[in-house]
Amino acid sequence: MLVSNNSYMTPKSFILNGVPGLERAHIWISLPLCTMYIISLVGNLGLVYLIHHEESLHHPMYFFLAILSLIDLFTCTTALPNALCIFWFNLKEINFNACLAQMFFVHGFTGVESGVLMLMALDCYLAICYPLRYATILTNPIIAKAGLATFLRGVLLMIPFPFLVKRLPFCQSNIVSHTYCDHMSVVKLSCASIKVNVIYGLMVALLIGVFDICCVSVSYTMILRTVVSLSSADTRQKAFSTCTAHISAIIITYVPAFFTFFTHRFGGHTIPTSLHIIVANLYLLLPPTLNPLFME
């Protein structure tokens, strides 16, 4: 540990402890995670390649899907190789600054992914509720601006996290009970007040997660009203099948995310740490693994 000019201790590195209590099962835990990671790489890279080279797929919906696939790849690649090094080679040490960088990228990419899912819901809303005006509303410049705004929102809101962590004193343990540097897992090691970190984390959750969920909910409420009013059974079936794939992607993304979020803040003493960490890894791996299958 190094003593800074501010008279508190700053760790040179953290020790990522994997899944505490299940050390003997690390190899077995790694097998399904590694399998899912390989499937996500093959599935998402294949999907992006197909969308890029197939002229018939040059459509706003597939453009958003390609972005989602790339974000999924970046998200799981940021955290999973590190977890596999812990499980397979017992390489648990991570440099302090590398930990902060991993924290930024993991949370930044998940924030962007949430925004892309919201844009896909709005795309479905326009396609089903305003089919005749769809092409004039969702032009290429509008798509580019929406994509850029979503990316900037996810990145800019996550920039303060590393700086908020860096200002904290870590006077005792530097052992993180996790497989990657999650914001709350790290700040809980501090020997100072983490109130600012908690408040900012809640604010980001409101600005991204809650806002996106509200937009998705409103979009699908309007979609449902429009689909139910359609006279043709075949048209209703086609609309429902299109929405089902997107709703499945939303469920597998948000359910583990909210489980992880609320466990950190309200379930620390009632939910086993091992379960929380496993779900946190699935939170990063399930969407990249299953989204290509749902979107086929």
Side-chain angles (χ1 to χ4, degrees), residues 2-257:
L2 297 175
V3 181
S4 73
N5 293 331
N6 294 325
S7 73
Y8 61 74
M9 308 294 281
T10 301
K12 290 181 179 178
S13 61
F14 287 111
I15 304 298
L16 295 171
N17 209 26
V19 186
L22 296 177
E23 287 83 2
R24 293 184 178 181
H26 272 181
I27 291 294
W28 298 107
I29 294 172
S30 71
L31 294 179
L33 296 182
C34 182
T35 302
M36 292 171 69
Y37 181 54
I38 293 171
I39 292 172
S40 68
L41 287 177
V42 174
N44 286 287
L45 287 174
L47 195 57
V48 171
Y49 177 84
L50 185 64
I51 291 171
H52 177 70
H53 285 84
E54 186 63 47
E55 288 287 340
S56 62
L57 299 182
H58 291 179
H59 185 277
M61 179 179 68
Y62 293 106
F63 175 76
F64 290 133
L65 181 56
I67 295 177
L68 182 65
S69 293
L70 289 174
I71 294 299
D72 280 340
L73 282 175
F74 292 144
T75 303
C76 60
T77 300
T78 301
L80 193 73
N82 198 86
L84 294 178
C85 286
I86 296 170
F87 294 145
W88 291 345
F89 310 114
N90 205 35
L91 299 176
K92 298 183 176 183
E93 187 174 5
I94 183 171
N95 178 271
F96 180 74
N97 289 323
C99 181
L100 296 183
Q102 186 184 57
M103 179 191 304
F104 168 76
F105 284 115
V106 167
H107 293 302
F109 286 138
T110 53
V112 175
E113 179 178 37
S114 177
V116 173
L117 288 172
M118 177 193 67
L119 293 179
M120 292 176 73
L122 295 176
D123 174 71
C124 287
Y125 165 70
L126 292 173
I128 293 174
C129 298
Y130 299 98
L132 298 180
R133 297 174 55 195
Y134 177 81
T136 57
I137 295 174
L138 214 58
T139 60
N140 288 337
I142 293 295
I143 293 170
K145 290 176 183 177
L148 179 61
T150 299
F151 176 78
L152 290 177
R153 183 194 65 164
V155 170
L156 293 177
L157 286 175
M158 300 306 168
I159 288 176
F161 277 127
F163 295 100
L164 289 173
V165 173
K166 202 162 189 175
R167 81 190 218 316
L168 292 173
F170 294 88
C171 313
Q172 300 173 8
S173 174
N174 67 335
I175 299 176
V176 181
S177 295
H178 217 305
T179 58
Y180 61 87
C181 289
D182 174 76
H183 174 245
M184 286 305 298
S185 296
V186 172
V187 301
K188 285 180 178 179
L189 299 179
S190 174
C191 52
S193 171
I194 60 171
K195 186 176 181 179
V196 174
N197 297 71
V198 172
I199 291 174
Y200 186 73
L202 288 171
M203 187 184 76
V204 170
L206 288 173
L207 291 175
I208 292 182
V210 175
F211 175 79
D212 291 350
I213 283 290
C214 288
C215 289
V216 169
S217 300
V218 171
S219 296
Y220 274 100
T221 299
M222 300 301 292
I223 288 171
L224 185 61
R225 289 178 57 186
T226 301
V227 170
V228 169
S229 66
L230 293 174
S231 58
S232 170
D234 290 340
T235 306
R236 285 198 301 269
Q237 181 64 35
K238 184 178 179 180
F240 275 126
S241 63
T242 301
C243 295
T244 300
H246 185 236
I247 291 172
S248 300
I250 291 170
I251 291 172
I252 63 173
T253 299
Y254 283 112
V255 170

